[in-house]
């Protein structure tokens, strides 16, 4: 089937272009000047709309158990809110359990996603065994098309922690095997000190001397106190050194501070990329001070307003490579289950449905010629590059997968909805005028005027990263 998309403004990753697009089967067949395409089986009029390459959420948690609790979103619900808001590909995580092989963990995840996702999808792997057998499995996974691996500088209790020495060895070895590493950066020693109530009031004047007393675990604001910005910045600085020494490509996930982004940019090492998340750009730590503040407990935590504002400015100025949600939705019951002790509140917020509306809101009122391509880079080109999927995904050019979103702004105001699952909304009171007029995933029309057309068996497929 041939489809033509006419009269739209194409948002390339470096400029806007007035042109029409011809889709043939699952690929973009041609991009041509207005009214020069041959007749097609279906014509979509994209007048007064923007045509973006399909957006990619690089960092989501779906259909998985985290901290002993099943997440609120399945592949079906998570990918449905995704396509309704312009996202055509999702990346989630596979963590190897202590009693299973990496291959078993991968098979388990593949089974859960098959026939359930409206988006195309892939995973970052978190292996937990590094003996000879473990490394043979890692090599086999790379051979099978899994090239991105996630490590943590904290979470000892969950068995996820790697020391900086271990990280350097693993990063170097994965680099030589053709793998790429993503790192959760919060320095474990600093977090430990902060948890013991020794957050350095002398280093951080926002906290009065009295705040050095024992941590009040009933107050959600304590969550931000025990995960201070310096933990993130210190870990990032250590990873920058590791990147320099190993020559490996690294990606730092969910950077929450302007100092963290600055440390990455200062490195002048283009092999280090980073993402930040909408919640660090639109919410500050005052949300933790609300009576229901535990809803916004996530790691890293929300930061002070001044820090949030600076981070947003840096993203608008091109400081971050990607925006991703770190979508990690727990049910209302699970989020309330801590019995007043925030250490027992599961950490994570929903975000998939908010990603595109909030990214557009971030650049609202600014120079569209310059900033629409920036959105295209943050949500499409750069995530595709990090995943090793560019230019199959992440761009509008002949030969690429026909993942396209026809977006219109200035429509009726609607509330931002992060997920379809029964969870607390992350962005209550925030709204958007953005609407998805049409969304194509590999040439298939999946969404029209915000409504999902593909119902019975969602046709998203696994994206081999080779
Ligand atoms: Zn995450």
């Amino acid at each position: 089937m041939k489809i033509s998309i006419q009269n739209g403004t194409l948002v390339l990753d470096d400029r806007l272009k007035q042109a029409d697009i011809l889709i043939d089967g699952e690929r973009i067949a041609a991009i041509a000047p207005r009214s020069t395409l041959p007749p097609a089986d279906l014509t979509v009029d994209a007048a007064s709309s923007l045509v973006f390459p399909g957006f990619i959420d690089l960092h989501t948690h779906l259909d998985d158990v985290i901290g002993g609790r099943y997440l609120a979103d399945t592949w079906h619900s998570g990918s449905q809110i995704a396509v309704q808001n312009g996202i055509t590909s999702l990346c989630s995580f596979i963590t190897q359990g202590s009693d299973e092989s990496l291959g078993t963990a991968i098979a388990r995840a593949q089974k859960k996603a098959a026939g359930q996702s409206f988006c195309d999808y892939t995973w970052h792997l978190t292996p937990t065994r590094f003996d000879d057998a473990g490394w043979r499995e890692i090599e086999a996974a790379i051979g099978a098309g899994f090239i991105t691996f996630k490590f943590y500088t904290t979470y000892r209790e969950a068995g996820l922690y790697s020391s900086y020495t271990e990280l350097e060895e693993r990063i170097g070895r994965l680099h030589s095997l053709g793998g790429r590493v993503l790192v959760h950066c919060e320095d474990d020693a600093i977090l430990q000190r902060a948890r013991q109530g020794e957050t350095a009031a002398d280093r951080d004047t926002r906290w009065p001397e009295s705040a050095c007393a024992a941590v009040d675990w009933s107050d959600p604001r304590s969550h931000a106190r025990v995960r201070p910005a310096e933990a993130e910045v210190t870990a990032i600085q250590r990873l920058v050194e590791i990147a320099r020494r190993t020559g490996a490509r690294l990606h730092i996930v969910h950077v929450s501070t302007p100092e963290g982004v600055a440390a990455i940019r200062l490195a002048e090492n283009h092999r280090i990329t980073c993402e930040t998340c909408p919640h660090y750009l639109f919410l500050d730590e005052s949300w933790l001070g609300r009576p229901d503040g535990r809803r916004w407990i996530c790691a890293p935590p929300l930061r002070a307003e001044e820090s949030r504002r600076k981070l947003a400015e840096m993203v608008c100025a091109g400081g971050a490579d990607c925006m991703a949600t770190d979508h990690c939705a727990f049910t209302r019951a699970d989020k309330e289950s801590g019995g007043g002790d925030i250490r027992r509140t599961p950490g994570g917020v929903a975000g998939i449905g908010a990603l595109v509306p909030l990214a557009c809101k971030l650049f609202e009122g600014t120079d569209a010629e310059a900033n629409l391509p920036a959105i295209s880079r943050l949500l499409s080109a750069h995530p595709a590059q990090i995943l090793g999927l560019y230019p199959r995904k992440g761009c509008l050019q002949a030969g690429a997968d026909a993942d396209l979103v026809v977006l219109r702004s200035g429509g009726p105001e609607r509330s931002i909805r992060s997920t379809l699952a029964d969870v607390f909304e992350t962005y209550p009171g925030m709204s958007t005028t953005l609407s998805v007029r049409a969304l194509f995933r590999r040439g298939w029309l999946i969404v029209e005027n915000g409504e999902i057309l593909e119902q019975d068996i969602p046709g998203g497929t696994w994206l081999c990263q080779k």
Side-chain angles (χ1 to χ4, degrees):
M1 172 137 148
K2 287 189 167 70
I3 302 168
S4 74
I5 299 172
Q6 301 187 344
N7 306 316
T9 299
L10 312 192
V11 186
L12 309 183
D13 60 14
D14 59 347
R15 71 204 143 96
L16 303 181
K17 181 176 175 141
Q18 306 299 322
D20 295 344
I21 295 183
L22 181 69
I23 299 173
D24 188 357
E26 297 199 335
R27 301 282 176 91
I28 296 175
I31 294 180
R34 290 258 187 275
S35 314
T36 60
L37 288 174
D41 305 305
L42 173 72
T43 299
V44 173
D45 182 14
S48 328
S49 299
L50 300 167
V51 183
F52 280 93
F55 297 119
I56 300 169
D57 192 343
L58 185 64
H59 189 154
T60 68
H61 300 272
L62 295 167
D63 235 320
D64 201 1
V65 178
I66 294 188
R69 293 178 175 91
Y70 214 96
L71 294 171
D73 268 305
T74 59
W75 277 102
H76 195 276
S77 64
S79 65
Q80 182 174 337
I81 195 78
V83 289
Q84 287 177 309
N85 286 279
I87 295 167
T88 52
S89 299
L90 291 174
C91 190
S92 193
F93 292 84
I94 296 174
T95 303
Q96 180 181 17
S98 54
D99 54 352
E100 67 180 354
S101 69
L102 188 57
T104 306
I106 291 171
R108 187 165 43 82
Q110 290 272 26
K111 201 172 161 197
K112 281 193 272 192
Q116 294 296 316
S117 179
F118 295 96
C119 297
D120 285 345
Y121 53 89
T122 189
W123 290 274
H124 308 296
L125 304 184
T126 296
T128 53
R129 275 181 57 184
F130 299 96
D131 54 6
D132 288 346
W135 276 104
R136 275 197 298 277
E137 283 225 301
I138 291 168
E139 268 186 68
I142 293 172
F146 293 90
I147 61 158
T148 46
F149 292 81
K150 163 105 174 275
F151 292 106
Y152 299 79
T153 59
T154 183
Y155 295 126
R156 283 174 195 267
E157 330 70 51
L160 298 173
Y161 169 78
S162 300
S163 69
Y164 294 117
T165 310
E166 287 166 338
L167 272 174
E168 181 151 354
E169 197 236 317
R170 290 166 191 174
I171 286 168
R173 194 155 167 184
L174 279 164
H175 176 54
S176 68
L177 293 170
R180 295 175 190 173
V181 170
L182 287 67
V183 190
H184 173 127
C185 281
E186 283 183 293
D187 183 87
D188 196 60
I190 294 176
L191 294 186
Q192 274 187 33
R193 285 205 303 272
R195 269 198 296 271
Q196 286 154 7
E198 294 171 12
T199 309
D202 43 357
R203 286 197 298 271
D204 186 346
T205 50
R206 280 189 297 121
W207 298 101
E209 204 58 41
S210 62
C212 272
V215 176
D216 176 2
W217 295 109
S218 70
D219 183 349
R221 285 174 301 181
S222 299
H223 179 68
R225 231 189 96 193
V226 300
R227 305 191 87 102
E230 62 168 323
E232 176 173 280
V233 179
T234 300
I236 287 175
Q237 287 165 342
R238 297 295 296 267
L239 266 299
V240 166
E241 290 163 22
I242 290 173
R244 279 211 178 109
R245 285 197 292 267
T246 58
R249 249 179 100 158
L250 291 181
H251 178 70
I252 311 296
V253 296
H254 54 50
V255 179
S256 64
T257 59
E259 296 84 358
V261 171
I264 292 162
R265 295 287 85 103
L266 258 180
E268 286 178 14
N269 182 338
H270 297 299
R271 297 178 77 82
I272 305 185
T273 52
C274 70
E275 75 197 22
T276 187
C277 314
H279 45 280
Y280 302 123
L281 300 170
F282 284 87
L283 307 174
D284 66 30
E285 65 183 4
S286 69
W287 290 72
L288 294 169
R290 292 171 38 137
D292 55 355
R294 72 183 76 82
R295 287 164 58 170
W296 288 275
I297 285 179
C298 59
L302 301 179
R303 304 296 185 186
E305 168 55 19
E306 196 193 339
S307 174
R308 182 207 64 78
R309 187 181 49 74
K310 273 192 205 157
L311 184 66
E313 281 170 13
M314 287 174 101
V315 173
C316 289
D321 302 279
C322 308
M323 269 175 80
T325 60
D326 197 5
H327 179 92
C328 188
F330 290 96
T331 63
R332 289 166 195 264
D334 279 343
K335 210 68 181 168
E336 296 279 29
S337 67
D341 184 336
I342 58 167
R343 286 171 295 187
R344 294 206 290 267
T345 303
V349 294
I352 290 177
L355 179 65
V356 177
L358 289 180
C360 292
K361 201 179 270 292
L362 188 69
F363 288 95
E364 224 164 53
T366 59
D367 174 15
E369 286 280 336
N371 288 329
L372 291 170
I375 294 171
S376 200
R377 293 192 294 273
L378 284 164
L379 297 187
S380 198
H382 291 166
Q385 285 160 4
I386 289 160
L387 288 167
L389 294 171
Y390 191 90
R392 176 180 168 196
K393 302 287 190 192
C395 66
L396 294 179
Q397 64 183 48
D401 278 359
D403 293 341
L404 304 168
V405 194
V406 182
L407 272 187
R408 181 143 67 179
S409 61
E413 197 99 8
R414 64 177 171 100
S415 294
I416 285 177
R417 191 166 177 197
S418 296
T419 170
L420 299 169
D422 181 31
V423 308
F424 292 117
E425 175 52 51
T426 309
Y427 305 97
M430 295 193 198
S431 62
T432 178
T433 63
L434 214 61
S435 63
V436 172
R437 290 187 64 191
L439 176 138
F440 293 88
R441 184 211 57 230
R442 274 180 292 105
W444 298 88
L445 179 61
I446 308 297
V447 174
E448 198 168 26
N449 296 321
E451 296 297 322
I452 202 141
L453 303 177
E454 179 181 68
Q455 286 292 0
D456 297 345
I457 301 176
T461 60
W462 172 57
L463 296 167
C464 176
Q465 293 173 270
K466 277 203 289 193

